[in-house]
Amino acid sequence: MLSRAALSGRSRCNARYLFSRVRTTASSSHLKYVPASSPARQPRRHWSNIPFLTMPLMRSHGKPFAHRSELKHAKRIVVKLGSAVVTRGDECGLALGRLASIVEQVSVLQNQGREMMIVTSGAVAFGKQRLRHEILLSQSVRQALHSGQNQLKDMQVPVLEARACAAAGQSGLMALYEAMFTQYSICAAQILVTNLDFHDEQKRRNLNGTLHELLRMNIVPIINTNDAVVPPPEPNSDLQGVNVISIKDNDSLAARLAVEMKADLIIVLSDVEGLFDSPPGSDDAKLIDIFYPGDQQSVNFGAKSRVGMGGMEAKVKAALWALQGGTSVVIANGTHPKISGHVISDIVEGKKVGTFFSEVKPAGPTVEQQAEMARSGGRNLAALQPEQRAEIIYHLADLLTDHRDEILFANKKDMEEAEDKGRLALPLLKRLSLSTAKLNSLAIGLRQIAASSQDSVGRVIRRTQIAKDLQLEQVTVPIGVLLVIFESRPDCLPQVSALAISSGNGLLLKGGKEASNSNQTLYRLTQEALSIHGVKDAIQLVNTREEVEDLCRLNNLIDLIIPRGSSELVRDIQKAAKGIPVMGHSEGICHVYVDTEASVEKVTRIVRDSKCDYPAACNAMETLLIHRDVLRTPLFDQIIDMLRVEQVKIHAGPKFASYLTFSPSEVKSLRTEYGDLECCIEVVDGVQDAIAHIHKYGSSHTDAIITENEDTAEYFLQHVDSACVFWNSSTRFSDGYRFGLGAEVGISTARIHARGPVGIEGLLTTKWLLRGENHVVSDFSEQGSMKYLHENIPVPQRLSS
């Protein structure tokens, strides 16, 4: 039987349809294509444990992408839509909403200059819907004539043959695609293929030429197997050592087409999130982020999809075949309502979606494996005696001092690279820099943490006598696995590590690339300290190409995310976190209010320190509020003179500007965090007006009042709703080290769990321990023999060493 590849489509020109037929000649069905060049000269890669694979056409454009981040460079992309994606849940009719979102994503990518191709299922389902409708309509007429309306509900629809359904549904499916793509000014064309179109050399060249011409004309080819004429599939036929991959389903069709067209990427959309190591839905099933050739022995494939010919095993075989041919592959979920609307775009952007097939296996563990190691290591860490955890931290403090020159040398390399590239703003450069003084302060802080760790994990908070011989305790325990993401500041690594060690938490650290040399050196010293008690796995430094957004999706592995960096970083993480709590603050808009009864000497010292000591810090003053009666006084003149001497750029608030004939530049927003030698000055009518301004424009971080009136100060302290509220003190005191916490993982402006500078206490939660003697609830019923006591038992204070 001669096979045809039928092509139809709408052209951008005046012609309504472009139609051509690829003429074919009779050939043997098992004819194998041999490239023009000598096989002996072709480099071959062999995977002996994949018997069905053979060497596909050699790619002139190189190897498949090694990492997800490279997918953004994909130019030619094949999107394979499985039957479960295209069809409705009742397997009769098309999922129009999903198709519309897929067409939109493909259109956006096409309009970006990429070359998009679609391999689609759905003709059988669409045809089944049409034929069922026609049969029911025909039967209803006969039933109405002979039996009356009451018999309509008993009508039976005969079993419909798949090839007949395909013949009835293909034209309607294509018309739907055409209508959808037209909304984006994109033309689509249909191509129907069979095995012969790939196995016969002339037919394959004809097909290849047609596809290239369509791509050249900016037309999206929509390819499907010609299900109306193909013979019934032979299950697992390509497992028997067939010379070339057979086009028995659209998974193998997509792979064969992608290799033939030298596509950069295949996106295979199905009804599961990707490839799991065991059948999805089973208790221990884990999504495989990256799949490597030879890993299929570790996968237990489950049943096939509810519709379609190919199960996950068929997808993996086709994916590996395409990968061997030089095309990257991602298998992902195209049916989930929350992600299907952007799944294709996310994959092309390199986001961690589905299963990515790669030939390059990383030398180290994946981030998922690191998180599991951190959890296991954290539990071992929490099981140590408090003295042992303290010993680890003391040793780390000593290492910071002993290896000072090595640390500073690594930091010097980071500083030089950052300055050469010129990509870091001045505040970030300041955060990146380490010094002998910083390292000494770090060592002192770590020793404070070590001393306080004697009374952290396992501390009894409450003890209650529930009934006779039934005692309840509430004790402190670690939160679990922490993910700390920090920009520039390498000193964050030993600080956070010490806090995690003290609180018995597992820790994942994600530092910025700009501090890679410093972070590697400090991490190596941290591992050396942890090794004295065999808990190196508890702290992991993420060195893979994982994007921050991808890390924030590991909700099954991470218990708390703590961002340390710019307000933009914090906002991005809060937005990206999927089911994981984020502890931190998005902005540090700190205020200092100068009251009418403020001391002249205190004002200039406190304002200078709040703004100029370290303007890049989140606890630096950004807005100076001045009582209106202070204007045109010597105190106001001294404030302005001091700011000018310190080269602070002043922006005027709306009220302040109204008092001046020639004012500084008026502030664009009263919610600005400058992070530099800049600040806003605004006038208020009194303490209540100052509090109202802080509540409206502040970020609940740190706010201070300068006054000699104790009543005014107490009113301010009690009514300002911020994490830190100060009287006659610089906002720069808002810091874990300065609070005596040893260090901090960050400052939280949230109102749940921890607030302000977060030290060891903020990294602990609690659990309840109940000790009884054969107690059951029924004993406490009205007819029972026991009564509740609920007596509080004093908790003895633990002596610190």
Side-chain angles (χ1 to χ4, degrees):
M1 177 178 179
L2 298 182
S3 172
R4 294 185 177 182
L7 163 68
S8 66
R10 296 176 58 171
S11 171
R12 291 180 182 273
C13 309
N14 291 331
R16 292 182 59 191
Y17 290 97
L18 175 68
F19 183 82
S20 67
R21 296 180 184 274
V22 180
R23 297 189 178 275
T24 60
T25 57
S27 61
S28 171
S29 61
H30 62 273
L31 182 64
K32 178 181 178 182
Y33 171 68
V34 181
S37 57
S38 171
R41 299 179 181 178
Q42 301 289 348
R44 289 177 177 265
R45 286 172 286 171
H46 292 285
W47 299 323
S48 58
N49 56 341
I50 310 176
F52 71 95
L53 291 175
T54 59
M55 187 63 189
L57 295 175
M58 294 304 296
R59 301 277 301 279
S60 61
H61 65 294
K63 295 181 179 180
F65 297 122
H67 306 283
R68 283 184 185 271
S69 58
E70 298 171 348
L71 295 180
K72 61 176 68 76
H73 303 300
K75 166 91 172 161
R76 185 170 292 174
I77 302 172
V78 175
V79 178
K80 186 266 175 179
L81 307 178
S83 299
V85 176
V86 176
T87 62
R88 298 199 314 244
D90 59 7
E91 303 177 22
C92 183
L94 303 181
L96 297 180
R98 285 200 294 266
L99 280 179
S101 65
I102 289 169
V103 167
E104 180 180 17
Q105 294 173 79
V106 170
S107 299
V108 169
L109 294 172
Q110 180 82 1
N111 288 327
Q112 289 176 355
R114 304 181 197 266
E115 297 175 340
M116 305 298 296
M117 294 180 281
I118 294 178
V119 174
T120 182
S121 303
V124 173
F126 194 37
K128 182 188 295 185
Q129 182 187 39
R130 292 183 63 185
L131 293 180
R132 279 169 57 96
H133 180 268
E134 292 297 327
I135 292 171
L136 287 173
L137 182 63
S138 175
Q139 287 183 350
S140 66
V141 173
R142 290 196 298 271
Q143 293 280 2
L145 290 175
H146 297 94
S147 304
Q149 295 292 333
N150 292 334
Q151 300 296 325
L152 292 179
K153 62 177 182 286
D154 299 326
M155 290 187 301
Q156 297 294 323
V157 178
V159 177
L160 300 174
E161 204 273 336
R163 280 179 286 189
C165 292
Q170 188 64 46
S171 60
L173 177 64
M174 188 60 203
L176 179 63
Y177 276 118
E178 286 182 337
M180 288 181 172
F181 275 111
T182 299
Q183 303 303 312
Y184 302 94
S185 300
I186 290 177
C187 179
Q190 174 181 263
I191 297 181
L192 299 178
V193 297
T194 65
N195 255 320
L196 293 179
D197 297 306
F198 289 98
H199 294 178
D200 180 86
E201 182 177 350
Q202 184 59 48
K203 293 179 182 180
R204 194 184 69 254
R205 289 179 177 175
N206 291 345
L207 176 62
N208 188 296
T210 300
L211 288 168
H212 276 93
E213 182 65 11
L214 291 174
L215 295 177
R216 186 188 68 80
M217 296 172 65
N218 201 33
I219 296 173
V220 175
I222 299 178
I223 304 102
N224 196 358
T225 52
N226 195 351
D227 294 324
V229 299
V230 294
E234 298 177 16
N236 298 326
S237 62
D238 56 353
L239 294 175
Q240 309 304 319
V242 181
N243 288 332
V244 293
I245 191 169
S246 63
I247 310 302
K248 73 183 187 67
D249 55 46
N250 278 344
D251 295 314
S252 54
L253 168 59
R256 193 67 176 89
L257 179 75
V259 172
E260 179 69 28
M261 294 298 295
K262 297 181 173 62
D264 301 305
L265 171 65
I266 306 176
I267 299 174
V268 180
L269 298 182
S270 67
D271 56 354
V272 292
E273 281 71 18
L275 176 61
F276 288 78
D277 58 359
S278 56
S282 57
D283 292 338
D284 298 326
K286 293 181 180 179
L287 179 66
I288 298 173
D289 172 39
I290 305 177
F291 189 80
Y292 306 97
D295 281 356
Q296 51 268 56
Q297 269 83 6
S298 62
V299 178
N300 178 20
F301 293 103
K304 292 184 178 181
S305 169
R306 62 176 174 82
V307 289
M309 292 306 305
M312 185 54 70
E313 188 170 9
K315 290 175 174 56
V316 171
K317 296 180 191 306
L320 290 174
W321 194 88
L323 188 70
Q324 186 185 13
T327 297
S328 296
V329 184
V330 174
I331 298 177
N333 192 333
T335 63
H336 196 293
K338 291 186 178 180
I339 63 174
S340 59
H342 48 80
V343 60
I344 298 174
S345 303
D346 285 351
I347 290 171
V348 176
E349 289 175 12
K351 295 182 181 179
K352 200 166 188 176
V353 179
T355 300
F356 172 64
F357 287 70
S358 175
E359 292 183 312
V360 179
K361 201 162 190 174
T366 66
V367 68
E368 289 85 359
Q369 291 170 333
Q370 284 187 293
E372 290 175 350
M373 293 164 64
R375 185 173 299 281
S376 175
R379 286 170 177 160
N380 293 332
L381 181 66
L384 295 177
Q385 294 299 315
E387 296 78 11
Q388 293 176 305
R389 289 193 296 274
E391 186 181 354
I392 294 173
I393 302 171
Y394 279 126
H395 187 48
L396 177 57
D398 293 338
L399 289 174
L400 292 180
T401 303
D402 297 342
H403 293 264
R404 179 180 61 247
D405 294 340
E406 182 182 351
I407 297 168
L408 294 178
F409 179 76
N411 184 247
K412 182 181 178 183
K413 290 175 63 177
D414 288 329
M415 291 292 294
E416 290 173 349
E417 291 177 10
E419 290 170 352
D420 289 343
K421 294 177 181 178
R423 296 178 182 175
L424 284 186
L426 184 59
L428 290 178
L429 276 175
K430 291 180 180 178
R431 293 174 184 173
L432 176 61
S433 175
L434 291 177
S435 63
T436 300
K438 269 191 178 181
L439 292 178
N440 289 338
S441 295
L442 269 174
I444 294 171
L446 262 59
R447 292 186 177 98
Q448 291 178 353
I449 295 172
S452 62
S453 67
Q454 304 286 341
D455 188 28
S456 55
V457 180
R459 175 167 49 91
V460 179
I461 296 176
R462 179 184 305 172
R463 185 173 288 150
T464 304
Q465 190 73 39
I466 302 295
K468 186 178 184 299
D469 296 328
L470 184 63
Q471 192 174 105
L472 178 69
E473 283 184 347
Q474 185 183 17
V475 300
T476 57
V477 293
I479 288 176
V481 176
L482 314 175
L483 167 62
V484 178
I485 302 169
F486 54 101
E487 290 178 323
S488 298
R489 51 185 93 193
D491 53 328
C492 177
L493 193 151
Q495 285 180 338
V496 173
S497 296
L499 290 170
I501 294 167
S502 177
S503 57
N505 284 288
L507 178 62
L508 282 179
L509 292 160
K510 175 66 173 176
K513 296 178 182 178
E514 66 280 353
S516 59
N517 294 298
S518 305
N519 289 338
Q520 286 289 349
T521 301
L522 292 168
Y523 177 65
R524 181 174 54 78
L525 297 177
T526 303
Q527 291 283 284
E528 183 177 336
L530 288 165
S531 65
I532 66 175
H533 287 296
V535 286
K536 290 175 62 175
D537 286 350
I539 297 179
Q540 301 286 325
L541 180 64
V542 178
N543 288 318
T544 61
R545 297 188 178 212
E546 304 294 333
E547 298 292 335
V548 169
E549 184 174 349
D550 294 329
L551 292 172
C552 292
R553 297 181 181 184
L554 301 177
N555 57 300
N556 293 326
L557 300 171
I558 296 170
D559 299 296
L560 180 66
I561 302 175
I562 305 173
R564 295 282 302 271
S566 66
S567 57
E568 182 181 3
L569 170 72
V570 179
R571 282 193 299 269
D572 289 344
I573 290 173
Q574 290 173 334
K575 183 178 179 180
K578 305 296 183 183
I580 308 176
V582 178
M583 184 167 65
H585 64 281
S586 59
E587 293 173 311
I589 304 175
C590 303
H591 298 76
V592 173
Y593 165 54
V594 179
D595 186 54
T596 184
E597 298 182 64
S599 162
V600 174
E601 180 184 356
K602 291 178 183 177
V603 167
T604 52
R605 279 173 50 83
I606 292 172
V607 171
R608 178 191 289 112
D609 191 77
S610 295
K611 179 70 260 184
C612 307
D613 176 67
Y614 189 10
C618 63
N619 56 15
M621 182 195 76
E622 303 295 3
T623 299
L624 177 63
L625 300 177
I626 298 179
H627 193 288
R628 65 181 178 181
D629 293 343
V630 175
L631 293 177
R632 301 185 179 92
T633 66
L635 173 57
F636 177 75
D637 294 338
Q638 289 187 31
I639 295 172
I640 297 301
D641 290 342
M642 180 273 295
L643 293 175
R644 285 174 177 168
V645 169
E646 297 292 339
Q647 299 182 335
V648 177
K649 183 178 180 180
I650 298 173
H651 302 276
K655 291 183 181 179
F656 180 46
S658 68
Y659 281 90
L660 304 174
T661 305
F662 300 100
S663 69
S665 61
E666 188 167 341
V667 68
K668 295 180 179 179
S669 171
L670 291 168
R671 290 191 179 95
T672 302
E673 182 180 10
Y674 298 100
D676 206 344
L677 287 174
E678 296 182 62
C679 76
C680 169
I681 295 180
E682 182 58 310
V683 175
V684 293
D685 295 333
V687 65
Q688 292 181 340
D689 194 19
I691 293 171
H693 179 102
I694 291 170
H695 288 167
K696 185 174 181 179
Y697 300 108
S699 60
S700 301
H701 191 294
T702 302
D703 300 289
I705 182 174
I706 307 175
T707 185
E708 295 305 300
N709 189 311
E710 184 175 351
D711 291 338
T712 302
E714 287 299 326
Y715 185 88
F716 185 90
L717 293 174
Q718 297 301 320
H719 287 82
V720 171
D721 188 18
S722 295
C724 301
V725 190
F726 300 161
W727 173 25
N728 286 347
S729 304
S730 167
T731 59
R732 292 278 291 120
F733 278 105
S734 180
D735 175 82
Y737 173 73
R738 299 182 182 105
F739 276 16
L741 305 179
E744 65 181 38
V745 292
I747 294 180
S748 173
T749 56
R751 286 166 170 77
I752 296 177
H753 181 60
R755 200 173 186 205
V758 180
I760 297 173
E761 292 293 328
L763 301 181
L764 295 171
T765 184
T766 64
K767 70 178 180 181
W768 298 90
L769 305 178
L770 184 64
R771 298 179 175 91
E773 289 287 345
N774 196 31
H775 287 82
V776 293
V777 170
S778 59
D779 287 343
F780 294 85
S781 64
E782 292 184 6
Q783 295 78 27
S785 58
M786 301 195 71
K787 301 295 181 183
Y788 288 110
L789 299 176
H790 291 152
E791 296 176 352
N792 290 328
I793 302 174
V795 177
Q797 298 295 318
R798 292 173 58 177
L799 298 177
S800 59
S801 59

